[in-house]
Amino acid sequence: MDQDDIMILYIGHTVHPSWIQNTLGVEQHSHIRDDVHSIPTIETEENALLHAFIDHLNDEKPYAATLYIIRFV
């Protein structure tokens, strides 16, 4: 969800663990910390695509939005 100065990335418990590992660098949904405000840089295609998508959204703004990563069940 993109709301101008805030972006929220919701990660549900049904997201495949390999996507979570390759994108966020943690082994499973329950390992996502509550205080994460950035995507780590990992040498995977999934991570590069997510970074590119977030960069694309931020390119259209005068300044980068704050990113919140929220895990939910």
Side-chain angles (χ1 to χ4, degrees), residues 15-68:
V15 174
H16 199 278
S18 67
W19 187 88
I20 293 173
Q21 174 70 40
N22 292 335
T23 306
L24 302 175
V26 295
E27 292 182 14
Q28 57 191 15
H29 175 266
S30 63
H31 293 166
I32 300 170
R33 294 186 3 224
D34 292 333
D35 60 344
V36 177
H37 296 286
S38 64
I39 305 293
T41 301
I42 303 168
E43 297 295 323
T44 63
E45 182 178 357
E46 295 92 340
N47 185 268
L49 288 171
L50 184 57
H51 273 281
F53 178 66
I54 291 171
D55 290 345
H56 171 73
L57 293 175
N58 278 324
D59 283 346
E60 300 178 5
K61 300 175 184 186
Y63 51 88
T66 302
L67 175 67
Y68 293 94

